[in-house]
Amino acid sequence: MQSYWFGDLDGTSCQPAPDDLAVLVKRVRDLGDAREAPLPEWDLAVMCGFVNNRAGYLECLRRTAISYSREMLLVAMSTDTSGLLPMVRMVDQIDEAVNLLTERATEWYIAIHPGFHRKSTRVRGTALIDLLRKDAVGPLLSVLEEIDRLTDQRRMLTREIAGCADKVLPNSSALVGGLVAARLAAEAGGIRELAMMPASSLQVLGSRKALFAHLATGSPPPKHGVVFQHGKVHGSRKERRGRVARVLSGKLVIAVRIDYYRKELDPGFIRNATEAIRKAGSAQ
Amino acid sequence: MIWIDGQLVSPGKELVHGERTLQGFRLWDPRRSKLSALYHLGQGIDLEPQHRVLYLGAANGTTVSHVADYVEVVYAVESAPRPFQDLLVVAEGRDNIIPIMADARKPYLYRPLVEEVDLIYQDVAQRDQAAILLSNTGFLNSGGATILMLKARSVDVRRTLSEIAAETETLLKAGGLSIEKTISLSPYYPDHAALIGLLP
């Protein structure tokens, strides 16, 4: 007997499948899993009495394929990291916007207050905005307040991300903090993708430009990408950063795999890993 | 193929979000579609009304919709969830696009749905592009054609387009395809080439 999505063919007799989308989708799935489905031929479906003609065949096939694909889409979406990735990307975008707006607003402020010079103050970021707000008025003031609101928004988002990452990435969050863990997942394109990654790839995630420059022109390879944001990496002496980043990535990739497969916190592992990373940062 | 004043168009009624039209035809922009770029370079395989096409890497469905304007039916395979949602919207507005959410590396998953086709068009930008095409040639009828859009930067950032194209040609020939032509898509798409093959 030969099975097709539209029916079962046995020699010359044919049993058409019921005209029910759920059944048809299941047939497609089963045939696909069996891995040896014959290519469907539309005239067989007509012979079967499943449809009347080619147009009817395509119409029914189309509905079945759409239904099947919607199901696959749901599966793919549910393995996604519960909205973690879009939030990370939003934070990055807000950062960029805040930096640009702050720069512009400072220029504007200088135009009004020629005595003020950026170089004369060591204040940066949000503190700079606070400083400017003290004697800004009118439209400039409202722009500064807008920047301030964006910064608040960012703070709320990062808190949300950290909370969410603590749940879906408990071990990696314990090692590097929720935001960095979420950034890595976003950079890799998902937790599954991150868990499949070799430690050496994870180590340079987020340093795309430097990595491809290295491959293309032979410039020195990047030591770290997103993992640089971990205190132990950017806090250690420059000549030791590469080593810390390497050890950290090694431990981190194990942590992500525990997150992805076991889905629970492993305190013993975290203790050992933290100790190994601390050692890597101290002089031998 | 339909040309109006040197511009490629396709005879579709259903428009895809805010695109331009020309005398009632849909403008097919060579800067947004590698297939259009190929036709603008005077190459490619003419799409015929009776053609059945397997399209791998359908993405948001823009190029798919133009192909569907010309041919009988397009089987559009895409694996990424986000673009697939767009593709679904496009497919729902037409009766000759069969959208399939699947990885083109696993053709056995959509074998139950896809009949024998006359043309396989592949634009997946993956490192194993050639292998992906070869694993799908089982859908092709004899004498059927393949168009592979090769993105050199996806295969190897260190080597030139012509090196990678030559290597891909060898791979495809070893897989039983005869390569008719290899066309660089510059200036529309730098670092891309179209490999046109035939199944003898």
Side-chain angles (χ1 to χ4, degrees):
Chain A
M1 191 184 73
Q2 196 63 270
S3 287
Y4 297 91
W5 68 274
F6 48 78
D8 301 310
L9 196 71
D10 199 354
T12 49
S13 72
C14 178
Q15 178 67 43
D19 186 16
D20 174 344
L21 268 185
V23 176
L24 293 174
V25 168
K26 186 172 182 319
R27 290 181 69 91
V28 172
R29 236 182 308 122
D30 292 346
L31 283 167
D33 289 341
R35 292 197 174 207
E36 48 205 14
L39 296 191
E41 289 166 48
W42 70 275
D43 33 0
L44 286 180
V46 174
M47 199 191 85
C48 231
F50 179 72
V51 287
N52 294 326
N53 50 30
R54 172 108 181 126
Y57 175 81
L58 286 181
E59 170 53 23
C60 192
L61 173 66
R62 182 170 151 270
R63 279 192 292 126
T64 307
I66 289 178
S67 199
Y68 167 83
S69 299
R70 280 197 190 289
E71 215 170 83
M72 293 295 133
L73 196 58
L74 279 181
V75 174
M77 300 293 235
S78 65
T79 54
D80 191 24
T81 37
S82 57
L84 203 55
L85 309 192
M87 278 200 289
V88 173
R89 292 184 185 129
M90 184 58 88
V91 165
D92 289 343
Q93 209 66 51
I94 292 180
D95 279 347
E96 209 168 294
V98 166
N99 287 341
L100 273 173
L101 291 175
T102 305
E103 206 176 307
R104 282 270 164 260
T106 315
E107 292 298 323
W108 189 355
Y109 183 88
I110 292 170
I112 302 172
H113 307 265
F116 180 83
H117 199 276
R118 227 192 318 201
K119 297 275 188 245
S120 67
T121 163
R122 299 196 56 81
V123 181
R124 292 280 179 277
T126 45
L128 177 64
I129 296 292
D130 286 342
L131 183 76
L132 301 188
R133 268 173 64 180
K134 280 195 191 111
D135 49 359
V137 285
L140 176 57
L141 181 63
S142 84
V143 166
L144 289 170
E145 280 167 350
E146 204 59 56
I147 299 176
D148 211 36
R149 264 196 293 280
L150 265 180
T151 316
D152 284 344
Q153 194 71 58
R154 181 197 190 274
R155 211 169 293 134
M156 271 161 52
L157 259 177
T158 48
R159 212 172 301 141
E160 182 73 28
I161 290 172
C164 190
D166 276 341
K167 265 182 243 128
V168 286
L169 293 162
N171 293 288
S172 19
S173 295
L175 276 189
V176 293
L179 188 61
V180 177
R183 274 231 165 83
L184 285 168
E187 199 65 46
I191 294 179
R192 186 178 167 276
E193 283 72 9
L194 191 61
M196 300 285 164
M197 210 166 250
S200 49
S201 297
L202 187 149
Q203 186 183 342
V204 294
L205 266 188
S207 60
R208 194 171 305 165
K209 207 170 158 191
L211 179 65
F212 284 112
H214 163 63
L215 292 176
T217 68
S219 58
K223 296 184 286 298
H224 37 57
V226 174
V227 289
F228 178 71
Q229 294 167 10
H230 183 47
K232 270 277 176 289
V233 179
H234 74 244
S236 48
R237 303 256 303 274
K238 211 168 174 189
E239 63 273 19
R240 234 168 269 146
R241 269 182 207 161
R243 171 156 37 111
V244 181
R246 199 167 60 243
V247 174
L248 176 63
S249 322
K251 294 299 175 191
L252 200 49
V253 89
I254 300 171
V256 180
R257 285 169 199 171
I258 302 176
D259 290 338
Y260 181 67
Y261 291 105
R262 220 188 300 158
K263 299 184 171 59
E264 60 185 18
L265 191 66
D266 182 340
F269 166 75
I270 298 295
R271 242 190 332 272
N272 294 341
T274 317
E275 179 56 23
I277 296 160
R278 194 192 59 76
K279 262 194 197 148
S282 55
Q284 292 192 316
Chain B
M1 312 307 292
I2 306 170
W3 297 84
I4 299 176
D5 300 336
Q7 311 235 56
L8 182 62
V9 295
S10 70
K13 294 191 181 53
E14 201 73 34
L15 295 182
V16 174
H17 64 269
E19 65 186 356
R20 292 202 296 145
T21 53
L22 214 58
Q23 297 170 25
F25 289 93
R26 300 174 58 216
L27 199 65
W28 191 354
D29 189 347
R31 277 168 201 84
R32 290 188 178 184
S33 164
K34 285 170 213 117
L35 188 53
S36 173
L38 182 62
Y39 291 126
H40 272 267
L41 291 166
Q43 307 283 347
I45 293 165
D46 277 2
L47 302 170
E48 312 276 352
Q50 77 282 3
H51 273 168
R52 297 167 189 179
V53 179
L54 173 59
Y55 192 126
L56 306 172
N60 300 278
T62 315
T63 303
V64 174
S65 67
H66 286 290
V67 175
D69 287 344
Y70 277 104
V71 303
E72 192 215 7
V73 59
V74 183
Y75 293 88
V77 177
E78 171 60 47
S79 68
R82 190 57 205 89
F84 192 84
Q85 287 171 307
D86 294 343
L87 174 64
L88 263 182
V89 175
V90 174
E92 274 161 351
R94 287 149 201 277
D95 54 16
N96 65 343
I97 297 176
I98 315 285
I100 300 169
M101 167 123 182
D103 187 341
R105 289 190 186 87
K106 299 175 181 168
Y108 56 85
L109 286 180
Y110 47 87
R111 263 184 83 87
L113 291 168
V114 182
E115 62 190 335
E116 209 169 73
V117 296
D118 308 292
L119 170 68
I120 299 181
Y121 177 75
Q122 179 190 314
D123 183 6
V124 292
Q126 293 290 326
R127 177 176 257 176
D128 52 345
Q129 276 188 309
I132 293 175
L133 178 61
L134 289 176
S135 69
N136 279 280
T137 47
F139 292 106
L140 207 56
N141 58 20
S142 67
T146 62
I147 301 179
L148 172 76
M149 290 301 179
L150 179 70
K151 181 179 177 184
R153 290 289 154 272
S154 289
V155 179
D156 190 337
V157 291
R158 286 169 292 191
R159 289 184 292 151
T160 63
L161 175 63
S162 51
E163 278 169 33
I164 294 169
E167 181 190 277
T168 310
E169 268 186 41
T170 317
L171 283 172
L172 293 181
K173 278 179 190 157
L177 290 173
S178 69
I179 301 302
E180 298 296 296
K181 231 175 212 173
T182 298
I183 304 116
S184 154
L185 291 185
S186 74
Y188 300 105
Y189 290 87
D191 284 330
H192 283 74
L195 275 68
I196 298 178
L198 275 184
L199 187 67

